Short mmCIF file of all heavy atoms in Angstrom, two decimals:
data_model
loop_
_atom_site.label_atom_id
_atom_site.label_comp_id
_atom_site.label_asym_id
_atom_site.label_seq_id
_atom_site.Cartn_x
_atom_site.Cartn_y
_atom_site.Cartn_z
N GLU A 164 -5.38 -53.86 69.75
CA GLU A 164 -5.05 -52.56 69.17
C GLU A 164 -3.55 -52.37 69.01
O GLU A 164 -3.08 -51.78 68.04
CB GLU A 164 -5.63 -51.44 70.04
CG GLU A 164 -7.14 -51.39 70.07
CD GLU A 164 -7.75 -50.99 68.74
OE1 GLU A 164 -7.16 -50.11 68.06
OE2 GLU A 164 -8.77 -51.56 68.37
N GLU A 165 -2.78 -52.89 69.96
CA GLU A 165 -1.32 -52.74 69.86
C GLU A 165 -0.77 -53.50 68.66
O GLU A 165 0.16 -53.05 68.00
CB GLU A 165 -0.66 -53.21 71.15
CG GLU A 165 -0.88 -52.27 72.33
CD GLU A 165 -0.48 -50.84 72.01
OE1 GLU A 165 0.61 -50.62 71.45
OE2 GLU A 165 -1.27 -49.92 72.31
N ALA A 166 -1.37 -54.68 68.39
CA ALA A 166 -0.93 -55.43 67.22
C ALA A 166 -1.23 -54.67 65.94
O ALA A 166 -0.42 -54.64 65.01
CB ALA A 166 -1.61 -56.80 67.20
N LEU A 167 -2.37 -54.01 65.89
CA LEU A 167 -2.72 -53.22 64.72
C LEU A 167 -1.83 -51.99 64.58
O LEU A 167 -1.53 -51.55 63.46
CB LEU A 167 -4.18 -52.80 64.79
CG LEU A 167 -5.22 -53.92 64.66
CD1 LEU A 167 -6.61 -53.40 64.94
CD2 LEU A 167 -5.17 -54.54 63.27
N ARG A 168 -1.40 -51.44 65.70
CA ARG A 168 -0.54 -50.24 65.65
C ARG A 168 0.89 -50.58 65.23
O ARG A 168 1.64 -49.70 64.83
CB ARG A 168 -0.53 -49.55 67.01
CG ARG A 168 -1.86 -48.88 67.35
CD ARG A 168 -1.74 -47.99 68.58
NE ARG A 168 -3.02 -47.37 68.91
CZ ARG A 168 -3.85 -47.82 69.84
NH1 ARG A 168 -3.52 -48.90 70.56
NH2 ARG A 168 -4.99 -47.21 70.06
N ARG A 169 1.27 -51.84 65.35
CA ARG A 169 2.57 -52.31 64.86
C ARG A 169 3.72 -51.48 65.42
O ARG A 169 4.54 -50.92 64.69
CB ARG A 169 2.58 -52.32 63.32
CG ARG A 169 1.47 -53.21 62.76
CD ARG A 169 1.37 -53.13 61.27
NE ARG A 169 2.39 -53.91 60.59
CZ ARG A 169 2.31 -55.22 60.34
NH1 ARG A 169 1.25 -55.91 60.73
NH2 ARG A 169 3.27 -55.84 59.70
N GLY A 170 3.72 -51.41 66.76
CA GLY A 170 4.82 -50.72 67.42
C GLY A 170 4.84 -49.22 67.18
O GLY A 170 5.91 -48.61 67.23
N GLY A 171 3.69 -48.64 66.93
CA GLY A 171 3.62 -47.20 66.70
C GLY A 171 3.71 -46.80 65.25
O GLY A 171 3.64 -45.61 64.93
N ALA A 172 3.83 -47.77 64.34
CA ALA A 172 3.92 -47.44 62.92
C ALA A 172 2.59 -46.97 62.36
O ALA A 172 2.56 -46.24 61.35
CB ALA A 172 4.42 -48.65 62.13
N TYR A 173 1.49 -47.36 63.01
CA TYR A 173 0.16 -47.02 62.51
C TYR A 173 -0.71 -46.42 63.61
O TYR A 173 -0.60 -46.82 64.78
CB TYR A 173 -0.56 -48.25 61.93
CG TYR A 173 -0.24 -48.51 60.48
CD1 TYR A 173 0.92 -49.19 60.11
CD2 TYR A 173 -1.07 -48.04 59.47
CE1 TYR A 173 1.23 -49.41 58.77
CE2 TYR A 173 -0.78 -48.25 58.14
CZ TYR A 173 0.37 -48.93 57.79
OH TYR A 173 0.66 -49.13 56.47
N ALA A 174 -1.54 -45.47 63.24
CA ALA A 174 -2.62 -45.00 64.08
C ALA A 174 -3.89 -45.73 63.65
O ALA A 174 -4.10 -45.97 62.46
CB ALA A 174 -2.81 -43.49 63.92
N VAL A 175 -4.72 -46.10 64.63
CA VAL A 175 -5.89 -46.95 64.36
C VAL A 175 -7.15 -46.24 64.85
O VAL A 175 -7.19 -45.74 65.98
CB VAL A 175 -5.73 -48.32 65.06
CG1 VAL A 175 -6.96 -49.18 64.83
CG2 VAL A 175 -4.46 -49.02 64.57
N GLU A 176 -8.17 -46.22 64.01
CA GLU A 176 -9.42 -45.55 64.37
C GLU A 176 -10.59 -46.25 63.71
O GLU A 176 -10.54 -46.62 62.53
CB GLU A 176 -9.37 -44.10 63.88
CG GLU A 176 -10.61 -43.29 64.19
CD GLU A 176 -10.58 -41.90 63.58
OE1 GLU A 176 -9.69 -41.64 62.74
OE2 GLU A 176 -11.45 -41.09 63.94
N ASP A 177 -11.66 -46.46 64.47
CA ASP A 177 -12.93 -46.91 63.92
C ASP A 177 -13.74 -45.70 63.49
O ASP A 177 -13.84 -44.72 64.24
CB ASP A 177 -13.72 -47.73 64.95
CG ASP A 177 -13.15 -49.12 65.15
OD1 ASP A 177 -12.78 -49.77 64.15
OD2 ASP A 177 -13.06 -49.57 66.31
N ARG A 178 -14.35 -45.78 62.32
CA ARG A 178 -15.19 -44.70 61.83
C ARG A 178 -16.55 -45.26 61.44
O ARG A 178 -16.65 -46.36 60.88
CB ARG A 178 -14.55 -44.03 60.60
CG ARG A 178 -13.19 -43.39 60.86
CD ARG A 178 -13.29 -42.08 61.60
NE ARG A 178 -13.97 -41.06 60.82
CZ ARG A 178 -13.36 -40.20 60.00
NH1 ARG A 178 -12.04 -40.27 59.83
NH2 ARG A 178 -14.05 -39.28 59.36
N THR A 179 -17.61 -44.52 61.72
CA THR A 179 -18.95 -44.87 61.26
C THR A 179 -19.27 -44.00 60.06
O THR A 179 -19.20 -42.77 60.14
CB THR A 179 -19.98 -44.65 62.38
OG1 THR A 179 -19.65 -45.47 63.50
CG2 THR A 179 -21.38 -45.03 61.90
N VAL A 180 -19.60 -44.64 58.93
CA VAL A 180 -19.76 -43.91 57.67
C VAL A 180 -21.13 -44.26 57.08
O VAL A 180 -21.74 -45.26 57.44
CB VAL A 180 -18.62 -44.27 56.69
CG1 VAL A 180 -17.26 -44.08 57.37
CG2 VAL A 180 -18.75 -45.70 56.17
N PRO A 181 -21.62 -43.43 56.16
CA PRO A 181 -22.94 -43.71 55.59
C PRO A 181 -22.99 -45.04 54.86
O PRO A 181 -22.08 -45.39 54.08
CB PRO A 181 -23.15 -42.54 54.61
CG PRO A 181 -22.27 -41.45 55.13
CD PRO A 181 -21.07 -42.15 55.68
N GLY A 182 -24.04 -45.80 55.11
CA GLY A 182 -24.25 -47.06 54.43
C GLY A 182 -25.00 -46.85 53.13
O GLY A 182 -25.16 -45.73 52.64
N PRO A 183 -25.49 -47.93 52.54
CA PRO A 183 -26.31 -47.81 51.33
C PRO A 183 -27.54 -46.96 51.59
O PRO A 183 -28.00 -46.85 52.73
CB PRO A 183 -26.69 -49.27 51.01
CG PRO A 183 -25.69 -50.11 51.75
CD PRO A 183 -25.33 -49.34 52.97
N ALA A 184 -28.10 -46.39 50.55
CA ALA A 184 -29.26 -45.51 50.70
C ALA A 184 -30.39 -46.24 51.44
O ALA A 184 -30.79 -47.33 51.05
CB ALA A 184 -29.75 -45.05 49.33
N GLY A 185 -30.85 -45.61 52.53
CA GLY A 185 -31.94 -46.17 53.30
C GLY A 185 -31.57 -47.31 54.21
O GLY A 185 -32.44 -47.91 54.85
N GLU A 186 -30.27 -47.62 54.32
CA GLU A 186 -29.80 -48.75 55.13
C GLU A 186 -28.92 -48.23 56.27
O GLU A 186 -28.52 -47.07 56.28
CB GLU A 186 -29.02 -49.73 54.25
CG GLU A 186 -29.85 -50.38 53.15
CD GLU A 186 -30.91 -51.30 53.69
OE1 GLU A 186 -30.72 -51.87 54.79
OE2 GLU A 186 -31.96 -51.46 53.02
N PRO A 187 -28.57 -49.10 57.23
CA PRO A 187 -27.76 -48.64 58.37
C PRO A 187 -26.37 -48.17 57.95
O PRO A 187 -25.86 -48.51 56.87
CB PRO A 187 -27.66 -49.90 59.25
CG PRO A 187 -28.80 -50.77 58.84
CD PRO A 187 -29.01 -50.49 57.39
N ASP A 188 -25.77 -47.36 58.84
CA ASP A 188 -24.40 -46.94 58.63
C ASP A 188 -23.47 -48.15 58.64
O ASP A 188 -23.82 -49.24 59.11
CB ASP A 188 -23.96 -45.96 59.72
CG ASP A 188 -24.63 -44.60 59.60
OD1 ASP A 188 -25.15 -44.29 58.50
OD2 ASP A 188 -24.64 -43.85 60.59
N VAL A 189 -22.27 -47.93 58.12
CA VAL A 189 -21.25 -48.97 58.01
C VAL A 189 -20.06 -48.55 58.87
O VAL A 189 -19.71 -47.37 58.92
CB VAL A 189 -20.82 -49.14 56.54
CG1 VAL A 189 -19.61 -50.05 56.41
CG2 VAL A 189 -21.99 -49.69 55.71
N THR A 190 -19.44 -49.51 59.54
CA THR A 190 -18.23 -49.24 60.31
C THR A 190 -17.01 -49.64 59.51
O THR A 190 -16.97 -50.73 58.92
CB THR A 190 -18.24 -50.01 61.64
OG1 THR A 190 -19.40 -49.65 62.38
CG2 THR A 190 -17.01 -49.68 62.47
N VAL A 191 -16.01 -48.77 59.48
CA VAL A 191 -14.74 -49.08 58.85
C VAL A 191 -13.62 -48.87 59.87
O VAL A 191 -13.73 -48.04 60.77
CB VAL A 191 -14.47 -48.23 57.59
CG1 VAL A 191 -15.51 -48.50 56.52
CG2 VAL A 191 -14.41 -46.75 57.92
N LEU A 192 -12.59 -49.66 59.73
CA LEU A 192 -11.37 -49.52 60.52
C LEU A 192 -10.34 -48.82 59.65
O LEU A 192 -10.02 -49.29 58.55
CB LEU A 192 -10.86 -50.91 60.93
CG LEU A 192 -9.54 -50.97 61.67
CD1 LEU A 192 -9.70 -50.43 63.09
CD2 LEU A 192 -9.01 -52.41 61.72
N VAL A 193 -9.85 -47.68 60.11
CA VAL A 193 -8.86 -46.92 59.34
C VAL A 193 -7.52 -47.03 60.05
O VAL A 193 -7.38 -46.66 61.22
CB VAL A 193 -9.27 -45.43 59.23
CG1 VAL A 193 -8.22 -44.65 58.44
CG2 VAL A 193 -10.64 -45.31 58.57
N CYS A 194 -6.53 -47.56 59.34
CA CYS A 194 -5.16 -47.67 59.84
C CYS A 194 -4.28 -46.77 58.98
O CYS A 194 -4.10 -47.04 57.79
CB CYS A 194 -4.68 -49.12 59.79
SG CYS A 194 -5.66 -50.27 60.76
N SER A 195 -3.75 -45.71 59.60
CA SER A 195 -2.96 -44.71 58.87
C SER A 195 -1.52 -44.74 59.35
O SER A 195 -1.27 -44.78 60.57
CB SER A 195 -3.53 -43.31 59.09
OG SER A 195 -4.86 -43.23 58.63
N PRO A 196 -0.55 -44.68 58.45
CA PRO A 196 0.84 -44.62 58.89
C PRO A 196 1.07 -43.42 59.81
O PRO A 196 0.55 -42.33 59.57
CB PRO A 196 1.61 -44.45 57.57
CG PRO A 196 0.71 -45.03 56.53
CD PRO A 196 -0.69 -44.71 56.98
N ALA A 197 1.83 -43.64 60.87
CA ALA A 197 2.13 -42.55 61.80
C ALA A 197 2.85 -41.42 61.09
O ALA A 197 2.66 -40.24 61.41
CB ALA A 197 2.96 -43.08 62.97
N VAL A 198 3.69 -41.76 60.13
CA VAL A 198 4.34 -40.78 59.27
C VAL A 198 3.69 -40.92 57.89
O VAL A 198 4.06 -41.80 57.11
CB VAL A 198 5.85 -40.99 59.20
CG1 VAL A 198 6.49 -39.94 58.29
CG2 VAL A 198 6.48 -40.94 60.59
N LEU A 199 2.70 -40.11 57.63
CA LEU A 199 1.90 -40.23 56.42
C LEU A 199 2.44 -39.30 55.34
O LEU A 199 2.50 -38.08 55.53
CB LEU A 199 0.44 -39.88 56.72
CG LEU A 199 -0.54 -39.95 55.54
CD1 LEU A 199 -0.63 -41.35 54.97
CD2 LEU A 199 -1.93 -39.47 55.99
N ARG A 200 2.84 -39.88 54.23
CA ARG A 200 3.32 -39.09 53.10
C ARG A 200 2.18 -38.96 52.09
O ARG A 200 2.06 -39.73 51.14
CB ARG A 200 4.55 -39.76 52.47
CG ARG A 200 5.76 -39.79 53.42
CD ARG A 200 6.96 -40.49 52.80
NE ARG A 200 8.12 -40.41 53.66
CZ ARG A 200 8.38 -41.25 54.66
NH1 ARG A 200 7.53 -42.24 54.92
NH2 ARG A 200 9.46 -41.10 55.39
N ALA A 201 1.32 -38.00 52.39
CA ALA A 201 0.12 -37.81 51.57
C ALA A 201 0.47 -37.13 50.25
O ALA A 201 1.40 -36.31 50.20
CB ALA A 201 -0.89 -36.98 52.34
N PRO A 202 -0.27 -37.43 49.19
CA PRO A 202 -1.32 -38.43 49.13
C PRO A 202 -0.73 -39.84 48.99
O PRO A 202 0.08 -40.08 48.10
CB PRO A 202 -2.12 -38.03 47.90
CG PRO A 202 -1.12 -37.37 47.00
CD PRO A 202 -0.14 -36.67 47.91
N ALA A 203 -1.15 -40.72 49.87
CA ALA A 203 -0.58 -42.06 49.94
C ALA A 203 -1.46 -43.07 49.21
O ALA A 203 -2.67 -42.90 49.12
CB ALA A 203 -0.44 -42.49 51.41
N PRO A 204 -0.85 -44.14 48.69
CA PRO A 204 -1.68 -45.23 48.19
C PRO A 204 -2.42 -45.89 49.35
O PRO A 204 -2.04 -45.75 50.52
CB PRO A 204 -0.66 -46.19 47.56
CG PRO A 204 0.62 -45.90 48.26
CD PRO A 204 0.59 -44.44 48.61
N ALA A 205 -3.49 -46.60 49.04
CA ALA A 205 -4.33 -47.19 50.09
C ALA A 205 -4.76 -48.59 49.70
O ALA A 205 -4.80 -48.95 48.52
CB ALA A 205 -5.56 -46.32 50.34
N VAL A 206 -5.08 -49.38 50.73
CA VAL A 206 -5.73 -50.67 50.56
C VAL A 206 -7.14 -50.55 51.12
O VAL A 206 -7.31 -50.15 52.28
CB VAL A 206 -4.99 -51.80 51.30
CG1 VAL A 206 -5.73 -53.13 51.12
CG2 VAL A 206 -3.55 -51.93 50.82
N TYR A 207 -8.13 -50.84 50.30
CA TYR A 207 -9.51 -50.95 50.79
C TYR A 207 -9.79 -52.45 50.90
O TYR A 207 -9.83 -53.16 49.89
CB TYR A 207 -10.49 -50.28 49.83
CG TYR A 207 -11.92 -50.35 50.32
CD1 TYR A 207 -12.37 -49.50 51.33
CD2 TYR A 207 -12.81 -51.29 49.80
CE1 TYR A 207 -13.68 -49.58 51.80
CE2 TYR A 207 -14.11 -51.36 50.26
CZ TYR A 207 -14.54 -50.52 51.26
OH TYR A 207 -15.83 -50.60 51.72
N TYR A 208 -9.98 -52.93 52.13
CA TYR A 208 -9.98 -54.36 52.41
C TYR A 208 -11.35 -54.87 52.81
O TYR A 208 -12.06 -54.24 53.61
CB TYR A 208 -8.98 -54.66 53.53
CG TYR A 208 -8.94 -56.11 53.95
CD1 TYR A 208 -8.49 -57.09 53.07
CD2 TYR A 208 -9.36 -56.50 55.22
CE1 TYR A 208 -8.47 -58.43 53.44
CE2 TYR A 208 -9.33 -57.84 55.60
CZ TYR A 208 -8.88 -58.79 54.69
OH TYR A 208 -8.85 -60.11 55.06
N VAL A 209 -11.72 -56.05 52.25
CA VAL A 209 -12.97 -56.73 52.57
C VAL A 209 -12.61 -58.08 53.21
O VAL A 209 -11.93 -58.90 52.60
CB VAL A 209 -13.83 -56.94 51.32
CG1 VAL A 209 -15.19 -57.53 51.72
CG2 VAL A 209 -14.02 -55.64 50.55
N HIS A 210 -13.09 -58.31 54.43
CA HIS A 210 -12.66 -59.49 55.19
C HIS A 210 -13.28 -60.79 54.69
O HIS A 210 -14.25 -60.81 53.95
CB HIS A 210 -12.98 -59.29 56.68
CG HIS A 210 -14.45 -59.29 57.01
ND1 HIS A 210 -15.21 -60.43 57.05
CD2 HIS A 210 -15.30 -58.26 57.31
CE1 HIS A 210 -16.45 -60.13 57.39
NE2 HIS A 210 -16.54 -58.81 57.54
N ASP A 211 -12.69 -61.89 55.15
CA ASP A 211 -13.17 -63.22 54.83
C ASP A 211 -14.28 -63.63 55.78
O ASP A 211 -14.71 -62.86 56.62
CB ASP A 211 -12.01 -64.22 54.88
CG ASP A 211 -11.40 -64.32 56.29
OD1 ASP A 211 -11.72 -63.49 57.16
OD2 ASP A 211 -10.61 -65.25 56.51
N GLY A 212 -14.75 -64.89 55.66
CA GLY A 212 -15.76 -65.40 56.57
C GLY A 212 -16.91 -66.12 55.91
O GLY A 212 -17.94 -66.35 56.56
N GLY A 213 -16.79 -66.49 54.62
CA GLY A 213 -17.82 -67.29 53.98
C GLY A 213 -19.17 -66.61 53.87
O GLY A 213 -20.20 -67.27 53.73
N MET A 214 -19.21 -65.30 53.94
CA MET A 214 -20.42 -64.48 53.94
C MET A 214 -21.17 -64.54 55.27
O MET A 214 -22.13 -63.79 55.47
CB MET A 214 -21.40 -64.87 52.81
CG MET A 214 -20.79 -64.94 51.44
SD MET A 214 -20.36 -63.29 50.80
CE MET A 214 -19.73 -63.71 49.18
N ILE A 215 -20.71 -65.38 56.20
CA ILE A 215 -21.48 -65.64 57.42
C ILE A 215 -20.70 -65.35 58.70
O ILE A 215 -21.23 -65.52 59.80
CB ILE A 215 -21.97 -67.11 57.45
CG1 ILE A 215 -20.81 -68.09 57.23
CG2 ILE A 215 -23.06 -67.31 56.40
CD1 ILE A 215 -21.21 -69.56 57.25
N ALA A 216 -19.44 -64.91 58.59
CA ALA A 216 -18.61 -64.69 59.77
C ALA A 216 -17.58 -63.61 59.46
O ALA A 216 -17.45 -63.16 58.33
CB ALA A 216 -17.93 -65.98 60.21
N GLY A 217 -16.83 -63.20 60.49
CA GLY A 217 -15.75 -62.24 60.33
C GLY A 217 -16.18 -60.81 60.60
O GLY A 217 -17.37 -60.50 60.70
N ASP A 218 -15.17 -59.94 60.75
CA ASP A 218 -15.42 -58.52 60.95
C ASP A 218 -14.25 -57.72 60.42
O ASP A 218 -13.33 -58.28 59.80
CB ASP A 218 -15.71 -58.21 62.43
CG ASP A 218 -14.54 -58.45 63.36
OD1 ASP A 218 -13.38 -58.57 62.88
OD2 ASP A 218 -14.75 -58.54 64.58
N ARG A 219 -14.26 -56.42 60.66
CA ARG A 219 -13.27 -55.53 60.05
C ARG A 219 -11.85 -55.78 60.52
O ARG A 219 -10.89 -55.31 59.89
CB ARG A 219 -13.65 -54.07 60.32
CG ARG A 219 -13.68 -53.69 61.79
CD ARG A 219 -14.34 -52.34 62.01
NE ARG A 219 -14.41 -51.95 63.42
CZ ARG A 219 -15.34 -52.38 64.26
NH1 ARG A 219 -16.29 -53.22 63.84
NH2 ARG A 219 -15.35 -51.97 65.52
N ARG A 220 -11.65 -56.51 61.61
CA ARG A 220 -10.31 -56.83 62.08
C ARG A 220 -9.80 -58.18 61.58
O ARG A 220 -8.63 -58.49 61.71
CB ARG A 220 -10.26 -56.79 63.61
CG ARG A 220 -10.26 -55.37 64.17
CD ARG A 220 -10.46 -55.35 65.68
NE ARG A 220 -10.12 -54.06 66.26
CZ ARG A 220 -10.85 -52.96 66.18
NH1 ARG A 220 -12.00 -53.00 65.50
NH2 ARG A 220 -10.47 -51.83 66.73
N SER A 221 -10.68 -58.97 60.98
CA SER A 221 -10.29 -60.29 60.48
C SER A 221 -9.25 -60.16 59.37
O SER A 221 -9.44 -59.40 58.42
CB SER A 221 -11.52 -61.03 59.93
OG SER A 221 -12.51 -61.21 60.91
N GLY A 222 -8.16 -60.89 59.50
CA GLY A 222 -7.14 -60.93 58.45
C GLY A 222 -6.27 -59.70 58.35
O GLY A 222 -5.47 -59.59 57.40
N MET A 223 -6.37 -58.78 59.30
CA MET A 223 -5.65 -57.51 59.17
C MET A 223 -4.14 -57.64 59.29
O MET A 223 -3.41 -56.79 58.79
CB MET A 223 -6.19 -56.51 60.18
CG MET A 223 -7.49 -55.85 59.74
SD MET A 223 -7.25 -54.81 58.27
CE MET A 223 -6.26 -53.49 58.96
N THR A 224 -3.66 -58.67 59.95
CA THR A 224 -2.20 -58.83 60.06
C THR A 224 -1.57 -58.93 58.68
O THR A 224 -0.59 -58.23 58.37
CB THR A 224 -1.85 -60.07 60.91
OG1 THR A 224 -2.37 -59.90 62.22
CG2 THR A 224 -0.34 -60.26 60.98
N GLY A 225 -2.12 -59.79 57.83
CA GLY A 225 -1.57 -59.95 56.49
C GLY A 225 -1.72 -58.71 55.64
O GLY A 225 -0.84 -58.38 54.84
N VAL A 226 -2.83 -58.00 55.81
CA VAL A 226 -3.04 -56.77 55.03
C VAL A 226 -2.01 -55.71 55.41
O VAL A 226 -1.40 -55.06 54.54
CB VAL A 226 -4.46 -56.24 55.24
CG1 VAL A 226 -4.69 -54.97 54.42
CG2 VAL A 226 -5.50 -57.30 54.88
N LEU A 227 -1.78 -55.54 56.69
CA LEU A 227 -0.80 -54.55 57.13
C LEU A 227 0.62 -54.95 56.74
O LEU A 227 1.46 -54.09 56.48
CB LEU A 227 -0.91 -54.35 58.64
CG LEU A 227 -2.16 -53.58 59.08
CD1 LEU A 227 -2.38 -53.71 60.58
CD2 LEU A 227 -2.06 -52.10 58.70
N ASP A 228 0.89 -56.24 56.68
CA ASP A 228 2.19 -56.70 56.20
C ASP A 228 2.44 -56.24 54.77
O ASP A 228 3.57 -55.87 54.41
CB ASP A 228 2.29 -58.23 56.25
CG ASP A 228 2.48 -58.76 57.67
OD1 ASP A 228 2.82 -57.99 58.58
OD2 ASP A 228 2.28 -59.99 57.85
N LEU A 229 1.41 -56.24 53.95
CA LEU A 229 1.53 -55.77 52.58
C LEU A 229 1.62 -54.25 52.50
O LEU A 229 2.36 -53.70 51.67
CB LEU A 229 0.33 -56.24 51.75
CG LEU A 229 0.22 -57.71 51.41
CD1 LEU A 229 -1.11 -58.00 50.74
CD2 LEU A 229 1.37 -58.15 50.51
N ALA A 230 0.89 -53.57 53.36
CA ALA A 230 0.77 -52.12 53.27
C ALA A 230 1.94 -51.36 53.87
O ALA A 230 2.37 -50.33 53.34
CB ALA A 230 -0.54 -51.68 53.94
#
Side-chain angles (χ1 to χ4, degrees):
E164 294 293 322
E165 289 306 313
L167 292 172
R168 290 190 181 99
R169 302 174 78 84
Y173 273 83
V175 178
E176 180 186 12
D177 286 317
R178 299 284 295 269
T179 301
V180 308
E186 297 293 332
D188 289 342
V189 171
T190 302
V191 297
L192 176 71
V193 179
C194 300
S195 300
V198 180
L199 179 62
R200 295 179 175 85
V206 178
Y207 181 78
Y208 177 66
V209 186
H210 68 75
D211 63 349
M214 308 289 182
I215 53 180
D218 65 17
R219 62 192 179 277
R220 285 170 165 75
S221 300
M223 279 295 291
T224 298
V226 181
L227 288 166
D228 285 345
L229 289 173

